[in-house]
PDB file of all heavy atoms in Angstrom:
ATOM      1  N   GLY A   1      95.494  81.371 113.140  1.00 60.00           N
ATOM      2  CA  GLY A   1      96.243  81.258 111.885  1.00 60.00           C
ATOM      3  C   GLY A   1      97.604  81.857 111.865  1.00 60.00           C
ATOM      4  O   GLY A   1      98.373  81.618 110.911  1.00 60.00           O
ATOM      5  N   ARG A   2      97.926  82.666 112.801  1.00 79.00           N
ATOM      6  CA  ARG A   2      99.242  83.276 112.928  1.00 79.00           C
ATOM      7  C   ARG A   2      99.604  83.433 114.395  1.00 79.00           C
ATOM      8  O   ARG A   2      98.823  83.720 115.185  1.00 79.00           O
ATOM      9  CB  ARG A   2      99.135  84.698 112.315  1.00 79.00           C
ATOM     10  CG  ARG A   2     100.427  85.390 112.105  1.00 79.00           C
ATOM     11  CD  ARG A   2     100.206  86.758 111.405  1.00 79.00           C
ATOM     12  NE  ARG A   2     101.448  87.372 111.124  1.00 79.00           N
ATOM     13  CZ  ARG A   2     101.945  87.587 109.935  1.00 79.00           C
ATOM     14  NH1 ARG A   2     101.285  87.178 108.905  1.00 79.00           N
ATOM     15  NH2 ARG A   2     103.060  88.249 109.763  1.00 79.00           N
ATOM     16  N   GLN A   3     100.901  83.166 114.688  1.00 86.00           N
ATOM     17  CA  GLN A   3     101.324  83.194 116.069  1.00 86.00           C
ATOM     18  C   GLN A   3     102.122  84.585 116.353  1.00 86.00           C
ATOM     19  O   GLN A   3     102.836  85.033 115.495  1.00 86.00           O
ATOM     20  CB  GLN A   3     102.286  82.009 116.330  1.00 86.00           C
ATOM     21  CG  GLN A   3     102.440  81.677 117.740  1.00 86.00           C
ATOM     22  CD  GLN A   3     103.160  80.370 117.930  1.00 86.00           C
ATOM     23  OE1 GLN A   3     104.312  80.188 117.547  1.00 86.00           O
ATOM     24  NE2 GLN A   3     102.478  79.420 118.524  1.00 86.00           N
ATOM     25  N   THR A   4     101.884  85.058 117.519  1.00 89.00           N
ATOM     26  CA  THR A   4     102.617  86.181 118.032  1.00 89.00           C
ATOM     27  C   THR A   4     103.567  85.806 119.125  1.00 89.00           C
ATOM     28  O   THR A   4     103.107  85.111 120.075  1.00 89.00           O
ATOM     29  CB  THR A   4     101.658  87.325 118.510  1.00 89.00           C
ATOM     30  OG1 THR A   4     100.819  87.740 117.448  1.00 89.00           O
ATOM     31  CG2 THR A   4     102.438  88.517 119.143  1.00 89.00           C
ATOM     32  N   ILE A   5     104.773  86.190 119.081  1.00 89.00           N
ATOM     33  CA  ILE A   5     105.751  85.970 120.157  1.00 89.00           C
ATOM     34  C   ILE A   5     105.998  87.330 120.768  1.00 89.00           C
ATOM     35  O   ILE A   5     106.401  88.210 120.109  1.00 89.00           O
ATOM     36  CB  ILE A   5     107.097  85.442 119.668  1.00 89.00           C
ATOM     37  CG1 ILE A   5     106.820  83.981 119.001  1.00 89.00           C
ATOM     38  CG2 ILE A   5     108.099  85.302 120.807  1.00 89.00           C
ATOM     39  CD1 ILE A   5     108.095  83.481 118.278  1.00 89.00           C
ATOM     40  N   LEU A   6     105.669  87.489 122.063  1.00 89.00           N
ATOM     41  CA  LEU A   6     105.844  88.765 122.769  1.00 89.00           C
ATOM     42  C   LEU A   6     107.015  88.580 123.746  1.00 89.00           C
ATOM     43  O   LEU A   6     107.011  87.650 124.581  1.00 89.00           O
ATOM     44  CB  LEU A   6     104.606  89.099 123.562  1.00 89.00           C
ATOM     45  CG  LEU A   6     104.790  90.318 124.534  1.00 89.00           C
ATOM     46  CD1 LEU A   6     105.138  91.608 123.752  1.00 89.00           C
ATOM     47  CD2 LEU A   6     103.511  90.474 125.385  1.00 89.00           C
ATOM     48  N   LEU A   7     108.058  89.388 123.642  1.00 88.00           N
ATOM     49  CA  LEU A   7     109.188  89.417 124.546  1.00 88.00           C
ATOM     50  C   LEU A   7     108.913  90.490 125.559  1.00 88.00           C
ATOM     51  O   LEU A   7     108.715  91.634 125.243  1.00 88.00           O
ATOM     52  CB  LEU A   7     110.474  89.743 123.776  1.00 88.00           C
ATOM     53  CG  LEU A   7     110.784  88.857 122.575  1.00 88.00           C
ATOM     54  CD1 LEU A   7     112.024  89.394 121.888  1.00 88.00           C
ATOM     55  CD2 LEU A   7     110.994  87.440 123.024  1.00 88.00           C
ATOM     56  N   VAL A   8     108.897  90.071 126.784  1.00 87.00           N
ATOM     57  CA  VAL A   8     108.780  91.012 127.917  1.00 87.00           C
ATOM     58  C   VAL A   8     110.168  91.269 128.419  1.00 87.00           C
ATOM     59  O   VAL A   8     110.849  90.334 128.883  1.00 87.00           O
ATOM     60  CB  VAL A   8     107.858  90.499 129.006  1.00 87.00           C
ATOM     61  CG1 VAL A   8     107.758  91.558 130.155  1.00 87.00           C
ATOM     62  CG2 VAL A   8     106.436  90.304 128.430  1.00 87.00           C
ATOM     63  N   GLN A   9     110.627  92.511 128.314  1.00 73.00           N
ATOM     64  CA  GLN A   9     112.058  92.873 128.614  1.00 73.00           C
ATOM     65  C   GLN A   9     112.900  92.258 127.574  1.00 73.00           C
ATOM     66  O   GLN A   9     113.963  91.698 127.862  1.00 73.00           O
ATOM     67  CB  GLN A   9     112.448  92.441 130.003  1.00 73.00           C
ATOM     68  CG  GLN A   9     112.011  93.351 131.125  1.00 73.00           C
ATOM     69  CD  GLN A   9     112.587  94.703 131.071  1.00 73.00           C
ATOM     70  OE1 GLN A   9     112.091  95.551 130.371  1.00 73.00           O
ATOM     71  NE2 GLN A   9     113.659  94.935 131.816  1.00 73.00           N
ATOM     72  N   GLY A  10     112.448  92.316 126.312  1.00 61.00           N
ATOM     73  CA  GLY A  10     113.261  91.673 125.234  1.00 61.00           C
ATOM     74  C   GLY A  10     114.476  92.520 124.873  1.00 61.00           C
ATOM     75  O   GLY A  10     115.309  92.027 124.154  1.00 61.00           O
ATOM     76  N   GLY A  11     114.619  93.681 125.478  1.00 64.00           N
ATOM     77  CA  GLY A  11     115.748  94.532 125.148  1.00 64.00           C
ATOM     78  C   GLY A  11     115.425  95.249 123.869  1.00 64.00           C
ATOM     79  O   GLY A  11     114.690  94.799 123.021  1.00 64.00           O
ATOM     80  N   THR A  12     115.968  96.429 123.740  1.00 70.00           N
ATOM     81  CA  THR A  12     115.766  97.208 122.515  1.00 70.00           C
ATOM     82  C   THR A  12     116.265  96.411 121.329  1.00 70.00           C
ATOM     83  O   THR A  12     117.453  95.994 121.344  1.00 70.00           O
ATOM     84  CB  THR A  12     116.503  98.555 122.540  1.00 70.00           C
ATOM     85  OG1 THR A  12     115.945  99.264 123.686  1.00 70.00           O
ATOM     86  CG2 THR A  12     116.237  99.384 121.302  1.00 70.00           C
ATOM     87  N   GLY A  13     115.426  96.112 120.400  1.00 76.00           N
ATOM     88  CA  GLY A  13     115.807  95.275 119.262  1.00 76.00           C
ATOM     89  C   GLY A  13     115.731  93.804 119.437  1.00 76.00           C
ATOM     90  O   GLY A  13     116.112  93.032 118.608  1.00 76.00           O
ATOM     91  N   GLY A  14     115.214  93.354 120.583  1.00 79.00           N
ATOM     92  CA  GLY A  14     115.044  91.928 120.834  1.00 79.00           C
ATOM     93  C   GLY A  14     114.220  91.245 119.775  1.00 79.00           C
ATOM     94  O   GLY A  14     114.484  90.116 119.442  1.00 79.00           O
ATOM     95  N   SER A  15     113.218  91.977 119.246  1.00 82.00           N
ATOM     96  CA  SER A  15     112.439  91.384 118.190  1.00 82.00           C
ATOM     97  C   SER A  15     113.253  91.053 116.935  1.00 82.00           C
ATOM     98  O   SER A  15     113.022  90.046 116.257  1.00 82.00           O
ATOM     99  CB  SER A  15     111.294  92.339 117.766  1.00 82.00           C
ATOM    100  OG  SER A  15     110.431  92.538 118.848  1.00 82.00           O
ATOM    101  N   LEU A  16     114.206  91.897 116.633  1.00 84.00           N
ATOM    102  CA  LEU A  16     115.117  91.657 115.580  1.00 84.00           C
ATOM    103  C   LEU A  16     115.968  90.387 115.725  1.00 84.00           C
ATOM    104  O   LEU A  16     116.102  89.572 114.839  1.00 84.00           O
ATOM    105  CB  LEU A  16     116.041  92.854 115.292  1.00 84.00           C
ATOM    106  CG  LEU A  16     115.325  94.155 114.893  1.00 84.00           C
ATOM    107  CD1 LEU A  16     116.319  95.291 114.959  1.00 84.00           C
ATOM    108  CD2 LEU A  16     114.746  94.095 113.498  1.00 84.00           C
ATOM    109  N   VAL A  17     116.468  90.246 116.981  1.00 82.00           N
ATOM    110  CA  VAL A  17     117.293  89.042 117.288  1.00 82.00           C
ATOM    111  C   VAL A  17     116.392  87.788 117.147  1.00 82.00           C
ATOM    112  O   VAL A  17     116.851  86.781 116.507  1.00 82.00           O
ATOM    113  CB  VAL A  17     117.795  89.162 118.724  1.00 82.00           C
ATOM    114  CG1 VAL A  17     118.469  87.877 119.118  1.00 82.00           C
ATOM    115  CG2 VAL A  17     118.754  90.326 118.842  1.00 82.00           C
ATOM    116  N   VAL A  18     115.160  87.822 117.642  1.00 83.00           N
ATOM    117  CA  VAL A  18     114.330  86.637 117.595  1.00 83.00           C
ATOM    118  C   VAL A  18     113.998  86.381 116.118  1.00 83.00           C
ATOM    119  O   VAL A  18     114.014  85.196 115.664  1.00 83.00           O
ATOM    120  CB  VAL A  18     113.049  86.810 118.416  1.00 83.00           C
ATOM    121  CG1 VAL A  18     112.042  85.707 118.123  1.00 83.00           C
ATOM    122  CG2 VAL A  18     113.459  86.847 119.893  1.00 83.00           C
ATOM    123  N   ARG A  19     113.673  87.351 115.338  1.00 84.00           N
ATOM    124  CA  ARG A  19     113.309  87.190 113.978  1.00 84.00           C
ATOM    125  C   ARG A  19     114.518  86.498 113.209  1.00 84.00           C
ATOM    126  O   ARG A  19     114.330  85.614 112.445  1.00 84.00           O
ATOM    127  CB  ARG A  19     112.967  88.526 113.326  1.00 84.00           C
ATOM    128  CG  ARG A  19     112.736  88.515 111.873  1.00 84.00           C
ATOM    129  CD  ARG A  19     111.415  87.980 111.440  1.00 84.00           C
ATOM    130  NE  ARG A  19     110.290  88.733 111.914  1.00 84.00           N
ATOM    131  CZ  ARG A  19     109.087  88.278 112.000  1.00 84.00           C
ATOM    132  NH1 ARG A  19     108.804  87.021 111.635  1.00 84.00           N
ATOM    133  NH2 ARG A  19     108.083  89.019 112.473  1.00 84.00           N
ATOM    134  N   ARG A  20     115.780  86.947 113.475  1.00 85.00           N
ATOM    135  CA  ARG A  20     116.930  86.422 112.863  1.00 85.00           C
ATOM    136  C   ARG A  20     117.097  84.940 113.256  1.00 85.00           C
ATOM    137  O   ARG A  20     117.392  84.089 112.436  1.00 85.00           O
ATOM    138  CB  ARG A  20     118.127  87.198 113.252  1.00 85.00           C
ATOM    139  CG  ARG A  20     119.468  86.670 112.566  1.00 85.00           C
ATOM    140  CD  ARG A  20     120.652  87.431 113.063  1.00 85.00           C
ATOM    141  NE  ARG A  20     120.853  87.074 114.455  1.00 85.00           N
ATOM    142  CZ  ARG A  20     121.342  87.902 115.399  1.00 85.00           C
ATOM    143  NH1 ARG A  20     121.676  89.153 115.086  1.00 85.00           N
ATOM    144  NH2 ARG A  20     121.461  87.506 116.689  1.00 85.00           N
ATOM    145  N   GLU A  21     116.904  84.599 114.564  1.00 82.00           N
ATOM    146  CA  GLU A  21     117.044  83.278 115.049  1.00 82.00           C
ATOM    147  C   GLU A  21     116.036  82.330 114.460  1.00 82.00           C
ATOM    148  O   GLU A  21     116.315  81.179 114.144  1.00 82.00           O
ATOM    149  CB  GLU A  21     116.993  83.256 116.596  1.00 82.00           C
ATOM    150  CG  GLU A  21     118.174  83.910 117.224  1.00 82.00           C
ATOM    151  CD  GLU A  21     119.514  83.237 116.881  1.00 82.00           C
ATOM    152  OE1 GLU A  21     119.608  82.000 116.783  1.00 82.00           O
ATOM    153  OE2 GLU A  21     120.488  84.013 116.664  1.00 82.00           O
ATOM    154  N   LEU A  22     114.743  82.810 114.364  1.00 84.00           N
ATOM    155  CA  LEU A  22     113.719  81.979 113.767  1.00 84.00           C
ATOM    156  C   LEU A  22     114.091  81.701 112.242  1.00 84.00           C
ATOM    157  O   LEU A  22     113.945  80.501 111.806  1.00 84.00           O
ATOM    158  CB  LEU A  22     112.386  82.687 113.801  1.00 84.00           C
ATOM    159  CG  LEU A  22     111.735  82.805 115.177  1.00 84.00           C
ATOM    160  CD1 LEU A  22     110.533  83.689 115.134  1.00 84.00           C
ATOM    161  CD2 LEU A  22     111.420  81.484 115.742  1.00 84.00           C
ATOM    162  N   HIS A  23     114.569  82.667 111.595  1.00 83.00           N
ATOM    163  CA  HIS A  23     115.025  82.469 110.175  1.00 83.00           C
ATOM    164  C   HIS A  23     116.135  81.427 110.106  1.00 83.00           C
ATOM    165  O   HIS A  23     116.175  80.492 109.274  1.00 83.00           O
ATOM    166  CB  HIS A  23     115.391  83.777 109.517  1.00 83.00           C
ATOM    167  CG  HIS A  23     115.875  83.613 108.119  1.00 83.00           C
ATOM    168  ND1 HIS A  23     114.932  83.408 107.066  1.00 83.00           N
ATOM    169  CD2 HIS A  23     117.102  83.613 107.594  1.00 83.00           C
ATOM    170  CE1 HIS A  23     115.656  83.286 105.916  1.00 83.00           C
ATOM    171  NE2 HIS A  23     116.942  83.433 106.208  1.00 83.00           N
ATOM    172  N   ALA A  24     117.163  81.598 111.020  1.00 84.00           N
ATOM    173  CA  ALA A  24     118.266  80.640 111.023  1.00 84.00           C
ATOM    174  C   ALA A  24     117.865  79.227 111.429  1.00 84.00           C
ATOM    175  O   ALA A  24     118.488  78.295 110.923  1.00 84.00           O
ATOM    176  CB  ALA A  24     119.290  81.124 112.036  1.00 84.00           C
ATOM    177  N   ALA A  25     116.766  79.147 112.177  1.00 81.00           N
ATOM    178  CA  ALA A  25     116.259  77.757 112.538  1.00 81.00           C
ATOM    179  C   ALA A  25     115.349  77.158 111.425  1.00 81.00           C
ATOM    180  O   ALA A  25     114.882  76.058 111.555  1.00 81.00           O
ATOM    181  CB  ALA A  25     115.498  77.843 113.810  1.00 81.00           C
ATOM    182  N   GLY A  26     115.196  77.898 110.348  1.00 82.00           N
ATOM    183  CA  GLY A  26     114.390  77.400 109.223  1.00 82.00           C
ATOM    184  C   GLY A  26     112.912  77.629 109.355  1.00 82.00           C
ATOM    185  O   GLY A  26     112.085  77.084 108.581  1.00 82.00           O
ATOM    186  N   CYS A  27     112.500  78.525 110.207  1.00 80.00           N
ATOM    187  CA  CYS A  27     111.024  78.848 110.455  1.00 80.00           C
ATOM    188  C   CYS A  27     110.558  79.593 109.149  1.00 80.00           C
ATOM    189  O   CYS A  27     111.093  80.672 108.847  1.00 80.00           O
ATOM    190  CB  CYS A  27     110.900  79.666 111.702  1.00 80.00           C
ATOM    191  SG  CYS A  27     109.156  80.234 111.887  1.00 80.00           S
ATOM    192  N   ARG A  28     109.486  79.142 108.628  1.00 77.00           N
ATOM    193  CA  ARG A  28     108.897  79.837 107.466  1.00 77.00           C
ATOM    194  C   ARG A  28     107.456  80.158 107.786  1.00 77.00           C
ATOM    195  O   ARG A  28     106.730  80.686 106.936  1.00 77.00           O
ATOM    196  CB  ARG A  28     108.960  78.911 106.212  1.00 77.00           C
ATOM    197  CG  ARG A  28     110.345  78.517 105.801  1.00 77.00           C
ATOM    198  CD  ARG A  28     111.167  79.766 105.360  1.00 77.00           C
ATOM    199  NE  ARG A  28     112.514  79.381 105.048  1.00 77.00           N
ATOM    200  CZ  ARG A  28     113.573  79.622 105.813  1.00 77.00           C
ATOM    201  NH1 ARG A  28     113.432  80.273 106.934  1.00 77.00           N
ATOM    202  NH2 ARG A  28     114.787  79.310 105.426  1.00 77.00           N
ATOM    203  N   ALA A  29     107.025  79.989 109.028  1.00 80.00           N
ATOM    204  CA  ALA A  29     105.656  80.315 109.418  1.00 80.00           C
ATOM    205  C   ALA A  29     105.475  81.806 109.554  1.00 80.00           C
ATOM    206  O   ALA A  29     106.453  82.524 109.714  1.00 80.00           O
ATOM    207  CB  ALA A  29     105.336  79.645 110.819  1.00 80.00           C
ATOM    208  N   ALA A  30     104.236  82.290 109.333  1.00 82.00           N
ATOM    209  CA  ALA A  30     103.956  83.691 109.521  1.00 82.00           C
ATOM    210  C   ALA A  30     103.899  83.963 111.024  1.00 82.00           C
ATOM    211  O   ALA A  30     102.987  83.467 111.711  1.00 82.00           O
ATOM    212  CB  ALA A  30     102.589  83.991 108.864  1.00 82.00           C
TER     213      ALA A  30
END
């Protein structure tokens, strides 16, 4: 029911970058 994206070597704050890009792409999924 919910997807997890794991960044390996995502860099400090990589999760923030991905979250911003998903929002910019129009992703509304949990």
Side-chain angles (χ1 to χ4, degrees):
R2 187 177 184 113
Q3 198 169 63
T4 297
I5 299 172
L6 171 64
L7 305 174
V8 177
Q9 283 292 86
T12 303
S15 297
L16 296 169
V17 173
V18 170
R19 176 76 62 200
R20 182 186 67 215
E21 292 299 321
L22 291 172
H23 180 75
C27 176
R28 300 296 176 254

